[in-house]
Amino acid sequence: MKMTQKKQRCDASDNRSAILRAAAEVFALQGFDVALADIAARAGVSRTTLYRHFPDRASLGLAIFEHHLQDLERLAGTLATQDDALLTVLDALMENFAGSAGLADVINRQTNALPRLSEIHERAVRALTPLLRTAQQAALVRRDLEPSDLAQLLDVFSAALGNGDLAQRRQRAHRILDLLWTGIGMQGIRPEEPEPATF
């Protein structure tokens, strides 16, 4: 009996992972109006199984965000001692935003999902904050940047990548990151006013 229950839990976990992978791929390529039945077919599960794990589109979208966040947290932890880890993680984050562009807008229409979406946002900022401090100590980014600035950058990423196909969104994401790095990097600091010349 115990072995059967263990197998059932493993099967359920495998099905959930397959659904998340399929949903991320289908949403990225076809947008968020795609039929959930198409996601079930791509995942190789029945629609009943999909709805057992994710009763609606918002819950599926939140699960994708949380999955991306867990990847982000792992990457941030792995690279924590590297001076340029912030740029590497921001690049990965932009890739995720390009693949899930517009999903936040869909979820925002579901008021009961907003607390979880806010929590995901806060966890992302917490994961990035140590990398920001490391980059500042290495003089790679502006000294005046704060975690609240990272929160605003995440909002900018989300808002800027809503249109176009996946390839266009990825191209735009990397361009935005390039411009962003120019702004937050040391070259973005206004030079200090020179001391008055004395004669």
Side-chain angles (χ1 to χ4, degrees):
M1 178 67 70
K2 290 183 178 180
M3 289 298 294
T4 300
Q5 291 175 342
K6 183 177 180 180
K7 183 178 185 303
Q8 289 174 340
R9 287 195 296 269
C10 289
D11 289 344
S13 178
D14 290 345
N15 286 339
R16 188 179 191 280
S17 297
I19 293 168
L20 286 176
R21 286 195 302 270
E25 294 168 0
V26 172
F27 282 157
L29 294 173
Q30 301 180 37
F32 299 103
D33 293 328
V34 66
L36 295 184
D38 292 347
I39 295 173
R42 190 181 186 97
V45 302
S46 68
R47 283 180 290 181
T48 301
T49 297
L50 186 149
Y51 284 113
R52 184 183 304 124
H53 288 280
F54 307 105
D56 53 44
R57 197 176 300 269
S59 63
L60 181 54
L62 281 169
I64 292 173
F65 273 162
E66 289 174 341
H67 181 73
H68 287 334
L69 176 60
Q70 289 167 2
D71 288 343
L72 172 71
E73 290 171 331
R74 282 193 292 267
L75 180 61
T78 300
L79 303 178
T81 59
Q82 297 186 18
D83 291 345
D84 62 349
L86 180 64
L87 179 59
T88 302
V89 175
L90 284 176
D91 187 65
L93 186 62
M94 289 293 277
E95 181 70 18
N96 285 339
F97 271 112
S100 57
L103 182 53
D105 290 337
V106 174
I107 297 174
N108 276 329
R109 299 177 199 145
Q110 311 294 322
T111 55
N112 62 329
L114 294 181
R116 286 179 64 193
L117 190 61
S118 178
E119 180 185 350
I120 290 170
H121 191 275
E122 292 170 1
R123 281 175 57 190
V125 173
R126 286 199 299 270
L128 292 171
T129 296
L131 309 186
L132 170 64
R133 298 311 185 200
T134 299
Q136 287 174 322
Q137 291 173 3
L140 294 179
V141 300
R142 298 169 55 135
R143 294 183 297 273
D144 61 344
L145 285 176
E146 295 295 337
S148 59
D149 297 313
L150 296 176
Q152 293 184 62
L153 290 177
L154 296 182
D155 292 336
V156 170
F157 292 167
S158 179
L161 298 175
N163 299 317
D165 60 26
L166 180 58
Q168 292 171 327
R169 296 197 305 270
R170 281 176 169 162
Q171 183 179 24
R172 193 182 312 128
H174 290 292
R175 178 59 175 164
I176 291 171
L177 186 57
D178 181 59
L179 294 173
L180 166 67
W181 198 248
T182 300
I184 71 173
M186 290 301 293
Q187 62 267 45
I189 296 179
R190 179 178 298 179
E192 296 180 359
E193 294 292 333
E195 293 290 333
T198 58
F199 299 94

